[in-house]
Amino acid sequence: MLRKFPQLITLLSILKPRKNYSLYQRFKLKLDNRKFVEKRRKIDVFKAKNLSIMPVPNIVEFNSSVKPEDVFLAGSDQIWNTLDGNLSPWSAKLLDYDFPKNLLAISRAGAGVNNIPLDRCSEAGIVVFNTPGANANAVKELVLCAMLMGSRDVDGGIQWVRQQVASGVDVTTVVEKGKAAFIGPELYKKTLGVIGLGAIGSLVANIALSLGMDVYGYDPFLSVDAALRLDRHIHVVKDINELYKRADYITIHIHYTKDTERMIDAKAIGAMKRGVRFINLARGEIVDDDAMLAALDTGWVAAYVTDFPNNRLVGAPHVLAMPHLGASTPESEQNCAVMAVDQLRDYLENGNIRNSVNLPAVSQERSGVCRLCLIHKNVPAMLASITTLLSRDGINVENLSNKSRGDYAYTIVDLSAPADQCVIDEVTALENVIRVRVIQ
């Protein structure tokens, strides 16, 4: 299938499921509707069902144990390799990258896209996909682990036991006395606040109910689908301060944007209950480290569990910093890879857009004999201009779907007859049209 699309670039972050997979990893891609093709790959160029894989720079965020060669560009036999096969430094990103003009799509096997230049992609007619929800269960389980570790100081207790043994003490004689230093509260009958009720947040909120917790949720952009996933016993509040003042534990599951940068600042922390335990498995930049460290020093925040370590946080007391383990399970890696490929396949073969982060979601069942897919500016009379050109050539529009997202829009037009190239050229030449694709 992918041989037909030399323009395709798929960005897949394939993480090591186990340490002893230093040269080989599980790699599953759903290449057709009938079966999974499973391959173990070397850190090398190879082909699997006409899908060529090669090592490229680290362009996504992930577990610090993963090396740059564990991120891949996947394309057709004509690999886009402007890097000449050389691995770039650990900090390599796409923000300043010069994309080829025939590039159609980028798919991020994961949720975060802050290292992809979305504005430039939109201007060039490049659809950027991510895979929201594919790793949701893995993150949900780690949130539960984080709440328990933030409560019971399990890590501190384990380190203390090792220290006793290292110092030559018979650990069996000191554990009963020493354990008092690591006492902590149960989750049962405590209140959890969940900021962001999307794919991950809704799962966290629901499972917390099963633990006997009282759950408050906040999401100003709560979708209908997300709302339907929530248990009716979850209190959804419209004012985040309502959540702050009630929660014994707070976990945050939102995207990192300019609007959410340092959202958890001194003012937000000051509105929380004294002794709150805060969990951040979303993005490190959402929390103001200075404000959080100051609150930890005074005891206003009892514990901070983060999946985004830095040197300041790691050295601070009451901080549990993990190496970005949120989606580090073989199940979530497979889910992300499969979802990324499925979405790209649907876009390339049918023009449908699902889970794009820069263009609107538009899907339409195939009808007619020819399909036009247009990315264009969201301006008045655009549809009229397109349909006028088509009707002038005597082509009937069988079906049409159009949606906008900010400054951009996407239109799918199914035609009753093939459009002549001259008509396609005229549509492409229309002012504010960015890209036109013809799918037979």
Side-chain angles (χ1 to χ4, degrees), residues 413-439:
V413 186
D414 285 339
L415 305 175
S416 61
D420 291 338
Q421 187 58 49
C422 61
V423 177
I424 304 302
D425 292 340
E426 284 186 277
V427 173
T428 304
L430 284 172
E431 186 178 1
N432 297 311
V433 169
I434 298 170
R435 168 163 276 165
V436 177
R437 292 177 58 220
V438 181
I439 302 175

mmCIF file of all heavy atoms in Angstrom, residues 413-439:
data_model
loop_
_atom_site.group_PDB
_atom_site.id
_atom_site.type_symbol
_atom_site.label_atom_id
_atom_site.label_comp_id
_atom_site.label_asym_id
_atom_site.label_seq_id
_atom_site.Cartn_x
_atom_site.Cartn_y
_atom_site.Cartn_z
ATOM 1 N N VAL A 413 -14.746 16.443 -1.805
ATOM 2 C CA VAL A 413 -15.790 16.509 -2.832
ATOM 3 C C VAL A 413 -15.764 15.213 -3.630
ATOM 4 O O VAL A 413 -14.744 14.877 -4.257
ATOM 5 C CB VAL A 413 -15.578 17.700 -3.785
ATOM 6 C CG1 VAL A 413 -16.768 17.823 -4.742
ATOM 7 C CG2 VAL A 413 -15.370 18.997 -3.013
ATOM 8 N N ASP A 414 -16.885 14.477 -3.624
ATOM 9 C CA ASP A 414 -17.024 13.274 -4.449
ATOM 10 C C ASP A 414 -17.744 13.648 -5.741
ATOM 11 O O ASP A 414 -18.833 14.257 -5.708
ATOM 12 C CB ASP A 414 -17.801 12.187 -3.704
ATOM 13 C CG ASP A 414 -16.955 11.522 -2.635
ATOM 14 O OD1 ASP A 414 -15.719 11.595 -2.725
ATOM 15 O OD2 ASP A 414 -17.530 10.944 -1.691
ATOM 16 N N LEU A 415 -17.153 13.261 -6.872
ATOM 17 C CA LEU A 415 -17.668 13.661 -8.178
ATOM 18 C C LEU A 415 -18.237 12.464 -8.927
ATOM 19 O O LEU A 415 -17.811 11.328 -8.728
ATOM 20 C CB LEU A 415 -16.543 14.285 -9.008
ATOM 21 C CG LEU A 415 -15.801 15.465 -8.347
ATOM 22 C CD1 LEU A 415 -14.643 15.913 -9.220
ATOM 23 C CD2 LEU A 415 -16.760 16.611 -8.072
ATOM 24 N N SER A 416 -19.194 12.758 -9.804
ATOM 25 C CA SER A 416 -19.858 11.699 -10.570
ATOM 26 C C SER A 416 -19.021 11.218 -11.746
ATOM 27 O O SER A 416 -19.310 10.182 -12.341
ATOM 28 C CB SER A 416 -21.214 12.199 -11.082
ATOM 29 O OG SER A 416 -21.027 13.321 -11.947
ATOM 30 N N ALA A 417 -18.001 11.993 -12.110
ATOM 31 C CA ALA A 417 -17.148 11.647 -13.243
ATOM 32 C C ALA A 417 -15.734 12.136 -12.951
ATOM 33 O O ALA A 417 -15.540 13.055 -12.151
ATOM 34 C CB ALA A 417 -17.681 12.286 -14.531
ATOM 35 N N PRO A 418 -14.742 11.552 -13.590
ATOM 36 C CA PRO A 418 -13.362 12.027 -13.383
ATOM 37 C C PRO A 418 -13.213 13.475 -13.832
ATOM 38 O O PRO A 418 -13.796 13.890 -14.843
ATOM 39 C CB PRO A 418 -12.524 11.087 -14.251
ATOM 40 C CG PRO A 418 -13.383 9.887 -14.457
ATOM 41 C CD PRO A 418 -14.798 10.382 -14.483
ATOM 42 N N ALA A 419 -12.465 14.242 -13.084
ATOM 43 C CA ALA A 419 -12.221 15.641 -13.438
ATOM 44 C C ALA A 419 -11.011 15.736 -14.353
ATOM 45 O O ALA A 419 -9.986 15.097 -14.120
ATOM 46 C CB ALA A 419 -11.990 16.460 -12.176
ATOM 47 N N ASP A 420 -11.141 16.514 -15.435
ATOM 48 C CA ASP A 420 -10.009 16.728 -16.337
ATOM 49 C C ASP A 420 -8.893 17.467 -15.606
ATOM 50 O O ASP A 420 -9.136 18.235 -14.679
ATOM 51 C CB ASP A 420 -10.448 17.546 -17.560
ATOM 52 C CG ASP A 420 -11.381 16.754 -18.465
ATOM 53 O OD1 ASP A 420 -11.346 15.508 -18.389
ATOM 54 O OD2 ASP A 420 -12.148 17.376 -19.214
ATOM 55 N N GLN A 421 -7.677 17.263 -16.071
ATOM 56 C CA GLN A 421 -6.533 17.903 -15.426
ATOM 57 C C GLN A 421 -6.623 19.415 -15.472
ATOM 58 O O GLN A 421 -6.201 20.110 -14.544
ATOM 59 C CB GLN A 421 -5.232 17.443 -16.098
ATOM 60 C CG GLN A 421 -3.967 17.929 -15.395
ATOM 61 C CD GLN A 421 -3.908 17.477 -13.942
ATOM 62 O OE1 GLN A 421 -4.117 16.306 -13.635
ATOM 63 N NE2 GLN A 421 -3.619 18.403 -13.028
ATOM 64 N N CYS A 422 -7.229 19.935 -16.550
ATOM 65 C CA CYS A 422 -7.351 21.386 -16.652
ATOM 66 C C CYS A 422 -8.252 21.939 -15.551
ATOM 67 O O CYS A 422 -8.008 23.032 -15.027
ATOM 68 C CB CYS A 422 -7.870 21.785 -18.036
ATOM 69 S SG CYS A 422 -9.515 21.137 -18.432
ATOM 70 N N VAL A 423 -9.282 21.164 -15.180
ATOM 71 C CA VAL A 423 -10.170 21.588 -14.090
ATOM 72 C C VAL A 423 -9.420 21.537 -12.759
ATOM 73 O O VAL A 423 -9.530 22.453 -11.933
ATOM 74 C CB VAL A 423 -11.428 20.697 -14.033
ATOM 75 C CG1 VAL A 423 -12.320 21.092 -12.855
ATOM 76 C CG2 VAL A 423 -12.205 20.789 -15.341
ATOM 77 N N ILE A 424 -8.665 20.464 -12.572
ATOM 78 C CA ILE A 424 -7.869 20.341 -11.347
ATOM 79 C C ILE A 424 -6.894 21.503 -11.229
ATOM 80 O O ILE A 424 -6.710 22.089 -10.158
ATOM 81 C CB ILE A 424 -7.097 19.005 -11.318
ATOM 82 C CG1 ILE A 424 -8.059 17.823 -11.466
ATOM 83 C CG2 ILE A 424 -6.279 18.896 -10.037
ATOM 84 C CD1 ILE A 424 -9.123 17.761 -10.414
ATOM 85 N N ASP A 425 -6.272 21.863 -12.344
ATOM 86 C CA ASP A 425 -5.322 22.972 -12.338
ATOM 87 C C ASP A 425 -6.018 24.283 -11.993
ATOM 88 O O ASP A 425 -5.453 25.118 -11.267
ATOM 89 C CB ASP A 425 -4.637 23.092 -13.701
ATOM 90 C CG ASP A 425 -3.720 21.909 -13.992
ATOM 91 O OD1 ASP A 425 -3.327 21.216 -13.029
ATOM 92 O OD2 ASP A 425 -3.413 21.683 -15.187
ATOM 93 N N GLU A 426 -7.222 24.466 -12.496
ATOM 94 C CA GLU A 426 -7.962 25.694 -12.195
ATOM 95 C C GLU A 426 -8.342 25.762 -10.712
ATOM 96 O O GLU A 426 -8.249 26.823 -10.088
ATOM 97 C CB GLU A 426 -9.230 25.762 -13.056
ATOM 98 C CG GLU A 426 -8.990 26.128 -14.495
ATOM 99 C CD GLU A 426 -10.296 26.319 -15.247
ATOM 100 O OE1 GLU A 426 -10.870 25.308 -15.694
ATOM 101 O OE2 GLU A 426 -10.742 27.485 -15.364
ATOM 102 N N VAL A 427 -8.755 24.625 -10.158
ATOM 103 C CA VAL A 427 -9.094 24.594 -8.739
ATOM 104 C C VAL A 427 -7.853 24.869 -7.901
ATOM 105 O O VAL A 427 -7.880 25.644 -6.930
ATOM 106 C CB VAL A 427 -9.719 23.233 -8.348
ATOM 107 C CG1 VAL A 427 -9.910 23.145 -6.838
ATOM 108 C CG2 VAL A 427 -11.043 23.029 -9.060
ATOM 109 N N THR A 428 -6.740 24.261 -8.293
ATOM 110 C CA THR A 428 -5.491 24.453 -7.567
ATOM 111 C C THR A 428 -5.044 25.909 -7.610
ATOM 112 O O THR A 428 -4.445 26.415 -6.653
ATOM 113 C CB THR A 428 -4.381 23.558 -8.153
ATOM 114 O OG1 THR A 428 -4.812 22.198 -8.130
ATOM 115 C CG2 THR A 428 -3.092 23.675 -7.367
ATOM 116 N N ALA A 429 -5.340 26.583 -8.730
ATOM 117 C CA ALA A 429 -4.908 27.969 -8.914
ATOM 118 C C ALA A 429 -5.790 28.970 -8.180
ATOM 119 O O ALA A 429 -5.445 30.163 -8.127
ATOM 120 C CB ALA A 429 -4.876 28.303 -10.405
ATOM 121 N N LEU A 430 -6.907 28.513 -7.622
ATOM 122 C CA LEU A 430 -7.783 29.432 -6.893
ATOM 123 C C LEU A 430 -7.047 30.078 -5.723
ATOM 124 O O LEU A 430 -6.253 29.427 -5.032
ATOM 125 C CB LEU A 430 -9.013 28.689 -6.358
ATOM 126 C CG LEU A 430 -10.116 28.323 -7.348
ATOM 127 C CD1 LEU A 430 -11.151 27.431 -6.658
ATOM 128 C CD2 LEU A 430 -10.780 29.581 -7.905
ATOM 129 N N GLU A 431 -7.325 31.340 -5.513
ATOM 130 C CA GLU A 431 -6.719 32.035 -4.384
ATOM 131 C C GLU A 431 -7.156 31.368 -3.071
ATOM 132 O O GLU A 431 -8.317 30.978 -2.925
ATOM 133 C CB GLU A 431 -7.145 33.510 -4.384
ATOM 134 C CG GLU A 431 -6.436 34.337 -3.333
ATOM 135 C CD GLU A 431 -6.840 35.800 -3.384
ATOM 136 O OE1 GLU A 431 -7.692 36.153 -4.234
ATOM 137 O OE2 GLU A 431 -6.294 36.583 -2.577
ATOM 138 N N ASN A 432 -6.215 31.211 -2.168
ATOM 139 C CA ASN A 432 -6.444 30.619 -0.838
ATOM 140 C C ASN A 432 -6.516 29.091 -0.839
ATOM 141 O O ASN A 432 -6.731 28.492 0.214
ATOM 142 C CB ASN A 432 -7.701 31.195 -0.183
ATOM 143 C CG ASN A 432 -7.594 32.682 0.084
ATOM 144 O OD1 ASN A 432 -6.593 33.139 0.647
ATOM 145 N ND2 ASN A 432 -8.599 33.435 -0.345
ATOM 146 N N VAL A 433 -6.350 28.462 -2.007
ATOM 147 C CA VAL A 433 -6.230 27.004 -2.042
ATOM 148 C C VAL A 433 -4.775 26.629 -1.807
ATOM 149 O O VAL A 433 -3.872 27.157 -2.461
ATOM 150 C CB VAL A 433 -6.727 26.421 -3.376
ATOM 151 C CG1 VAL A 433 -6.343 24.948 -3.485
ATOM 152 C CG2 VAL A 433 -8.234 26.565 -3.496
ATOM 153 N N ILE A 434 -4.534 25.724 -0.875
ATOM 154 C CA ILE A 434 -3.169 25.364 -0.498
ATOM 155 C C ILE A 434 -2.736 24.069 -1.170
ATOM 156 O O ILE A 434 -1.629 23.956 -1.678
ATOM 157 C CB ILE A 434 -3.065 25.235 1.039
ATOM 158 C CG1 ILE A 434 -3.380 26.584 1.698
ATOM 159 C CG2 ILE A 434 -1.675 24.734 1.456
ATOM 160 C CD1 ILE A 434 -3.533 26.506 3.202
ATOM 161 N N ARG A 435 -3.613 23.072 -1.142
ATOM 162 C CA ARG A 435 -3.247 21.769 -1.728
ATOM 163 C C ARG A 435 -4.505 21.083 -2.245
ATOM 164 O O ARG A 435 -5.568 21.109 -1.599
ATOM 165 C CB ARG A 435 -2.548 20.883 -0.692
ATOM 166 C CG ARG A 435 -2.397 19.431 -1.103
ATOM 167 C CD ARG A 435 -1.360 18.713 -0.248
ATOM 168 N NE ARG A 435 -0.011 18.938 -0.765
ATOM 169 C CZ ARG A 435 1.096 18.681 -0.077
ATOM 170 N NH1 ARG A 435 1.030 18.261 1.164
ATOM 171 N NH2 ARG A 435 2.275 18.872 -0.634
ATOM 172 N N VAL A 436 -4.374 20.432 -3.392
ATOM 173 C CA VAL A 436 -5.474 19.658 -3.971
ATOM 174 C C VAL A 436 -4.961 18.249 -4.267
ATOM 175 O O VAL A 436 -3.896 18.088 -4.883
ATOM 176 C CB VAL A 436 -6.004 20.295 -5.285
ATOM 177 C CG1 VAL A 436 -7.095 19.414 -5.881
ATOM 178 C CG2 VAL A 436 -6.516 21.698 -5.022
ATOM 179 N N ARG A 437 -5.690 17.258 -3.813
ATOM 180 C CA ARG A 437 -5.372 15.873 -4.108
ATOM 181 C C ARG A 437 -6.544 15.237 -4.841
ATOM 182 O O ARG A 437 -7.698 15.491 -4.514
ATOM 183 C CB ARG A 437 -5.096 15.066 -2.838
ATOM 184 C CG ARG A 437 -3.828 15.459 -2.108
ATOM 185 C CD ARG A 437 -3.689 14.656 -0.844
ATOM 186 N NE ARG A 437 -3.680 13.229 -1.089
ATOM 187 C CZ ARG A 437 -4.296 12.311 -0.331
ATOM 188 N NH1 ARG A 437 -5.003 12.683 0.720
ATOM 189 N NH2 ARG A 437 -4.226 11.049 -0.644
ATOM 190 N N VAL A 438 -6.245 14.373 -5.812
ATOM 191 C CA VAL A 438 -7.272 13.632 -6.542
ATOM 192 C C VAL A 438 -7.120 12.167 -6.189
ATOM 193 O O VAL A 438 -6.043 11.575 -6.346
ATOM 194 C CB VAL A 438 -7.129 13.832 -8.067
ATOM 195 C CG1 VAL A 438 -8.236 13.054 -8.786
ATOM 196 C CG2 VAL A 438 -7.170 15.308 -8.417
ATOM 197 N N ILE A 439 -8.197 11.571 -5.698
ATOM 198 C CA ILE A 439 -8.194 10.138 -5.348
ATOM 199 C C ILE A 439 -9.220 9.449 -6.230
ATOM 200 O O ILE A 439 -10.413 9.758 -6.162
ATOM 201 C CB ILE A 439 -8.530 9.925 -3.859
ATOM 202 C CG1 ILE A 439 -7.519 10.676 -2.972
ATOM 203 C CG2 ILE A 439 -8.532 8.432 -3.519
ATOM 204 C CD1 ILE A 439 -7.836 10.621 -1.505
#
